[in-house]
């Protein structure tokens, strides 16, 4: 029954929150990296500064953690390990952002937090304070954080106050659109671990509102009003997915819903929430991009379609598709949840940054 499913998901969410809390580690410096908790533009961040002599200006990575805009923390052990490795191996300054979470905060608060941190950091006086090379700065994130990184990268070139251009963006199994929640990957992986479809629907709906009406409409893929149909071309998987990912699926597109939800929650149709909705002209201004997707992941097709759209807009894209991996795999880096695939995916990401940042 729906009540039981709702209870199951509520407990799942609460369980996830407890796991998040259990994973938190204090900001602890080591022989390679100085780690501190501070604030940039009134938003809490965890800052990783390499200890060895820079030998010139350093690279920098702004990292946004995942967790469906509802969970997660820069201080979780897995994210702390990722940030440390990037900082140490690339001799890079890493700014890992603790944006506000839903509920109580809904779109666009999460986006505004990471954007204001990025904009603050890209000021020449801040870059020089940390010895950062203004032409070697990148945004990165996993899952909902990959969504935020993609949205920030799209917004910066439109902002007349920002003079610094990003060198790259690194998107790790990103969520990129809330228009069609019935892509082949949503069908193929509806019950797969870590991110089953009902949980992703819950995350998307919670990003916009805690009102159950949106969640119910999203669950039946009928939340997009008929007048938004011109946007569907940007998420039409029959066009943007390679043939081998179509499998036996036939394209139908979402069932048009009433206009009321989109009027109440305009974020539904906002490219800052769904970066796949950006025009080709906007995409064409983006820096070289790395996209990681996993076969056993409801978000597989979001990242794959974005790779296709960016290539069509002339952006250099490295799309790494892990056929043996599932959503969240890159954070399985330490006991008791250590997997070889987690280390392999992180090595792939760090290697790309080494060559492209």
């Amino acid at each position: 029954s729906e009540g039981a499913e709702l209870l199951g998901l509520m407990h799942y969410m609460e369980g996830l929150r407890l796991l998040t809390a259990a994973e938190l580690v204090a900001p602890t410096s080591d022989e390679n990296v100085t780690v501190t908790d501070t604030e940039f533009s009134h938003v809490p961040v965890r800052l990783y500064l390499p200890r060895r002599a820079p030998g010139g200006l350093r690279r920098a990575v702004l990292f946004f953690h995942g967790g469906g805009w509802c969970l997660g923390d820069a201080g979780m052990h897995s994210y702390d390990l990722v940030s440390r490795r990037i900082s140490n191996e690339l001799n890079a300054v890493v700014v890992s952002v603790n944006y506000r979470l839903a509920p109580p905060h809904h779109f666009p608060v999460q986006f505004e937090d990471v954007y204001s941190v990025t904009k603050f950091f890209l000021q020449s006086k801040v870059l020089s304070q940390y010895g950062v090379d203004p032409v070697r700065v990148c945004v990165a994130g996993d899952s909902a954080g990959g969504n935020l990184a993609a949205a920030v990268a799209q917004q910066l070139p439109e902002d007349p106050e920002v003079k610094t251009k990003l060198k790259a963006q690194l998107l790790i199994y990103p969520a990129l659109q809330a228009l069609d929640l019935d892509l082949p990957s949503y069908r193929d992986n509806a019950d797969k671990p870590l991110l089953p479809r009902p949980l992703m629907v819950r995350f998307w709906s919670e990003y916009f509102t805690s009102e159950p009406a949106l969640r119910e409409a999203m669950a039946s893929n009928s939340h997009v009003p008929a007048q938004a149909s011109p946007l569907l071309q940007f998420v039409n998987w029959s066009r943007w997915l390679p043939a081998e990912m179509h499998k036996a699926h036939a394209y139908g597109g979402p069932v048009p819903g009433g206009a009321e939800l989109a009027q109440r929650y305009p974020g539904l149709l906002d490219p800052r929430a769904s970066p796949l909705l950006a025009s080709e002209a906007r995409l064409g201004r983006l820096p070289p991009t790395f996209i990681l997707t996993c076969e056993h992941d409801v978000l597989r097709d979001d990242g794959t379609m974005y790779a296709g759209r960016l290539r069509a807009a002339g952006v250099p894209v490295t799309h790494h598709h892990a056929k043996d991996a599932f959503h969240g795999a890159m954070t399985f880096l330490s006991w008791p949840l250590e997997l070889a695939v987690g280390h392999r995916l992180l090595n792939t990401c760090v290697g790309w940054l080494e060559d492209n940042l």
Side-chain angles (χ1 to χ4, degrees):
S1 79
E2 191 159 337
E5 190 199 19
L6 226 64
L7 273 175
L9 267 184
M10 279 309 297
H11 291 164
Y12 193 46
M13 276 287 214
E14 277 157 22
L16 285 174
R17 272 184 202 267
L18 289 171
L19 279 175
T20 305
E23 263 241 312
L24 291 179
V25 293
T28 310
S29 301
D30 60 32
E31 67 275 17
N32 300 314
V33 183
T34 303
V35 184
T36 48
D37 282 345
T38 182
E39 285 192 354
F40 282 176
S41 188
H42 309 295
V43 179
V45 300
R46 186 163 286 194
L47 189 60
Y48 298 79
L49 301 173
R51 291 200 164 187
R52 66 177 181 271
L57 294 175
R58 288 194 169 96
R59 307 186 249 209
V61 176
L62 294 133
F63 187 86
F64 313 138
H65 68 76
W69 309 278
C70 300
L71 307 162
D73 193 289
M76 285 170 70
H77 187 43
S78 50
Y79 288 122
D80 185 65
L81 286 172
V82 168
S83 297
R84 259 170 220 280
R85 267 215 51 201
I86 291 171
S87 180
N88 184 33
E89 293 200 20
L90 301 179
N91 202 10
V93 175
V94 177
V95 181
S96 190
V97 183
N98 266 328
Y99 52 89
R100 286 169 288 176
L101 299 172
H105 303 286
H106 301 290
F107 175 82
V109 168
Q110 290 82 340
F111 168 79
E112 286 170 348
D113 281 359
V114 295
Y115 190 74
S116 67
V117 167
T118 305
K119 196 164 161 172
F120 174 86
F121 187 71
L122 290 177
Q123 297 174 97
S124 51
K125 64 172 192 282
V126 179
L127 293 171
S128 63
Q129 181 188 341
Y130 292 106
V132 171
D133 187 339
V135 298
R136 300 180 83 186
V137 182
C138 156
V139 289
D142 67 317
S143 194
N147 164 284
L148 295 169
V152 166
Q154 286 185 9
Q155 190 79 13
L156 288 169
E158 315 284 324
D159 190 333
E161 295 174 10
V162 179
K163 303 289 181 267
T164 310
K165 286 183 167 51
L166 293 177
K167 177 80 184 284
Q169 60 172 342
L170 180 88
L171 311 177
I172 300 158
Y173 30 75
L176 295 169
Q177 59 86 32
L179 249 64
D180 190 349
L181 304 181
D182 192 34
L183 306 172
S185 58
Y186 272 93
R187 298 173 196 171
D188 294 343
N189 303 298
D191 308 314
K192 293 275 169 75
L194 288 205
L195 193 63
R197 182 179 186 270
L199 182 62
M200 191 62 225
V201 165
R202 180 64 188 260
F203 281 150
W204 264 124
S205 63
E206 201 70 63
Y207 191 23
F208 300 116
T209 175
S210 296
E211 191 193 321
L214 180 60
R215 186 164 75 238
E216 287 156 17
M218 282 184 156
S220 60
N221 209 37
S222 59
H223 55 290
V224 176
Q227 62 267 37
S229 60
L231 294 173
L232 292 177
Q233 61 175 318
F234 298 136
V235 299
N236 180 338
W237 60 262
S238 70
R239 178 179 173 195
W240 294 112
L241 283 187
E244 67 266 21
M245 286 191 180
H246 293 191
K247 300 190 177 123
H249 300 290
Y251 183 74
V255 184
E260 181 205 2
L261 283 171
Q263 278 163 357
R264 278 220 298 285
Y265 310 112
L268 268 181
L269 307 176
D270 191 324
R272 293 174 304 163
S274 293
L276 253 172
L277 301 185
S279 67
E280 186 167 312
R282 273 192 77 154
L283 295 184
R285 297 197 261 283
L286 289 169
T289 301
F290 178 93
I291 299 175
L292 170 69
T293 54
C294 299
E295 180 65 29
H296 308 288
D297 180 3
V298 291
L299 299 179
R300 174 193 75 204
D301 297 350
D302 281 22
T304 304
M305 290 198 294
Y306 203 46
R309 288 209 58 214
L310 289 171
R311 282 193 185 116
V315 176
V317 179
T318 302
H319 176 202
H320 181 83
H321 182 63
K323 286 201 158 72
D324 59 344
F326 54 91
H327 190 83
M330 200 190 80
T331 48
F332 285 72
L333 297 169
S334 62
W335 187 91
L337 297 171
E338 188 169 9
L339 295 175
V341 68
H343 291 284
R344 194 187 84 220
L345 296 180
L346 180 55
N347 289 342
T348 301
C349 292
V350 172
W352 186 84
L353 288 173
E354 179 66 74
D355 295 340
N356 293 278
L357 180 59

